[in-house]
Every structure is written in structure tokens, then in C-alpha cells.
Amino acid sequence: MRYDYLIVGAGLFGSVFASEMKKKGKTCLVIDKRNHVAGNIYTEEILGIQVHRYGAHIFHTSDKRIWEYIGQYAEFNRFVNSPVAVYGDELYNLPFNMNTFSRMWGIRTPAEAKAIIDRQIRESGISEPENLEEQALSLAGKDVYEKLIKGYTEKQWGRSCKELPAFIIKRIPLRFTYDNNYFDDLYQGIPVGGYTAVVEKMLEGIEVYTGTEYKGFLEKCGKKGIVFGKILYTGMIDEYFNYELGSLEYRSLRFEQEEMPDCGNYQGNAVVNYTQRSVPYTRIIEHKHFEFGVQPGTVITKEYPAQWQPGDEPYYPVNDERNEKLFREYKKLAQKEENVLFGGRLGQYKYYDMDKVIGAALDMAEAEAQYFA
């Protein structure tokens, strides 16, 4: 038996690509090592609530083409991401805006907020930031950095801000309006009924095997005479090459989920960040608020950053100088592979928002269509 494509990974990238190639008349087989489709955007229903198993995923884009594309598969609600940050007994709105500054300094006007921030930046005396701490102080001043950036960032990366490179923070969005909308994008929302249903619709009519490891599956295919014209690999690029040049670094996450059947509203917001380093988790997600739920119970998830170890799920690439250099070497190997494509955040060692994942997968599918034309 022959398939035009073996697609390794039933996450968003692989599913969009498979759907598009099917539309173009190509045969696809999709496999995933997890026991479900949808990758990190997987949602499951608990207590009548769509729970984001692998962390909060809020869809947002300014690209009308992408919005219309995803709109084929789901109706989106009007959810707008407006997270809250907890620092000790203090509560602040995110992103950093006039609500944040008013709460922090007891002021009312943009001019007052700008004056305080400018003064703190001058007092830092930093002109050439040499690390993330200096970069943040030179962009936002002492108060915003110490209360809302420092502890959260150190938990995320597992090291002191003084040990992190300055380029991780290229800019800090300081908004001098009373607007708690985290994203600037024109189109925002959550798919009604969850993301899993979106991916299942993408994969309709396509053969999918979950709980299936890539290398073991290839061995079975060889014995059974199953062949593929091309492979799209969305797993870790260094793992594909058996780490022959060394391991790329990732950050991982651990999720602690709790069902509360007798609690109708735990925290009053979908996402609450905890910015002190002494609090071990970075945020608590209360899933029902993504869809304005009125269920009698609730489900929360505490999110703990973790150092990635082999066997863990890699969530964020560590795009520092050492890893970028190593990735470029792996990319050279990838370019020599015949009939193998590499896509997604792991295959391309790049952090992608969901809209960018879809855009990249559509572009790859279009390039493949031109190749076969």
C-alpha cells in the first residue's frame, strides 16, 4: 500500500497540512505518539467544561485569511484574554496598562504614569543592557520589573534574570490606556465546544493512528510493504537525527489539575498569574471562563514550569545563541533528507502562536501542491 504522505504528529500543523493535501487529492496517513489528536491544543470535557489539557490556548490573529480558515471548523465566541497578576496581596491587570499603573502608584493619568516610569529608567543608569534584568529595568523601570516580570520570568526559565540574555525581552508593551485586552489582534476568541473538535473536523476522512511511535511504526510499515511518497515530521528535529549533533534545549511544563464539583467560581477569571518566585506555579487557569460557563462546578489547572528531560513533553525552545547555532546545523542535515519535510514548533525549533502555525502549514501545503503541479 502507498500513501502520498505520512504525517508524524496530529497537532495543529500536521492536521492543517493533512487536511489541505487531502483537498488536493493526496492520500495521507497521520500518526501521533499521544493517545489523542490535537497536540497541545487538546481539550476534553470535564464537569461539562472544555478543559485545556496542556495550558491555556486563546486564538488570536490579525490575518483575515487565517481567521476565515479556522472559522470553517468552528464557531468562535467573544472571549478576550484579560489576565490578572497576583504579587503577594496585590492584584494587577495585564498587560501593563493604566489599570496596572493606577493600582501600583495611585495615579490616574498617562502623563503621571509615564513620568514615574521614565524616572525609574533614568535612575537605573543602564544604557547597554547586558542581561534580561538590565533590559527590563531599562524598558519598564524598577516597580514593574520587580513586581510583575522578575519572579515570573525566573520561574519560566529556571534561572536568574541576570543569567538570561537581554534579547529574550526585545520590548515591553506598556499601554497608557485603560484597556485590559492582552492581545492587539483584530480577531480573538475560543472555539465553542473546544479545540479537539476543530482538529477532528480537519482530519475527517483521513486515516489516523494515535498512541503510535514514529520509528516503531516505520519498522512495521517496512515489514508490511507500506510506503510513503513523503514524510512530514513535526516532532523534535534533534530526536529525528538521534541527537547525533547533541541535544537542543527545551522548557517543559507540569500541570496539576483539580476538579471542584461544588465550587461555581474559583478565581473569577480564566487566567491568573502568580509573579512571585516563591510561589512554585506561574499561573492558575479556570477553564469554564473561556466559554463564560455557568456550570455548578469548576476545573482549575496550576501550571509549573520545569526543566525538560528526555521523555518529558518539550513546550518551549530555548532560543539562545548556543541552541540557535545547533539548530542551524540540524537544519543543514534536514535539507539533505530526501522527501522529508519538517514543520511545527519542534520540527522548526520555533515558538509559534496558533495563527502562525496555521499560516506556516498552509504555506507548506501550497508549496507541495506547486511541486506536484
Side-chain angles (χ1 to χ4, degrees), residues 45-51 257-269 285-301:
E45 186 172 312
I46 300 173
L47 301 181
I49 299 163
Q50 287 296 323
V51 173
Q257 186 172 297
E258 184 176 353
E259 298 175 23
M260 300 178 172
D262 299 319
C263 176
N265 190 351
Y266 177 77
Q267 64 185 15
N269 204 52
I285 301 162
E286 187 169 9
H287 304 268
K288 70 187 302 178
H289 297 305
F290 289 128
E291 295 192 53
F292 313 104
V294 294
Q295 297 90 343
T298 194
V299 181
I300 67 167
T301 301

Side-chain angles (χ1 to χ4, degrees), residues 226-351:
I226 300 173
V227 296
F228 308 96
K230 283 192 174 184
I231 294 171
L232 167 60
Y233 188 83
T234 68
M236 296 161 56
I237 190 170
D238 50 347
E239 183 180 43
Y240 177 89
F241 291 105
N242 297 311
Y243 308 102
E244 63 180 77
L245 302 178
S247 295
L248 292 164
E249 289 183 85
Y250 303 87
R251 289 293 289 168
S252 191
L253 294 169
R254 178 173 64 85
F255 301 101
E256 191 177 277
Q257 186 172 297
E258 184 176 353
E259 298 175 23
M260 300 178 172
D262 299 319
C263 176
N265 190 351
Y266 177 77
Q267 64 185 15
N269 204 52
V271 180
V272 177
N273 291 359
Y274 288 79
T275 61
Q276 286 177 291
R277 190 164 187 181
S278 58
V279 178
Y281 43 86
T282 50
R283 60 183 180 175
I284 298 179
I285 301 162
E286 187 169 9
H287 304 268
K288 70 187 302 178
H289 297 305
F290 289 128
E291 295 192 53
F292 313 104
V294 294
Q295 297 90 343
T298 194
V299 181
I300 67 167
T301 301
K302 294 178 180 177
E303 195 170 297
Y304 297 80
Q307 180 66 40
W308 179 83
Q309 301 291 341
D312 294 341
E313 184 63 30
Y315 285 91
Y316 304 108
V318 181
N319 295 116
D320 60 14
E321 185 176 346
R322 177 257 175 195
N323 285 290
E324 283 298 303
K325 181 179 179 181
L326 180 56
F327 170 66
R328 288 193 293 272
E329 295 304 309
Y330 274 119
K331 193 173 180 180
K332 290 177 184 176
L333 291 182
Q335 290 167 345
K336 295 176 183 178
E337 289 288 287
E338 290 188 15
N339 298 321
V340 181
L341 307 169
F342 293 85
R345 62 189 173 85
L346 301 181
Q348 297 174 346
Y349 198 66
K350 180 178 181 180
Y351 181 79

Side-chain angles (χ1 to χ4, degrees), residues 213-225:
E213 291 282 352
Y214 168 64
K215 291 178 180 176
F217 182 73
L218 275 189
E219 290 178 7
K220 291 180 181 179
C221 288
K223 294 175 182 177
K224 294 181 179 180

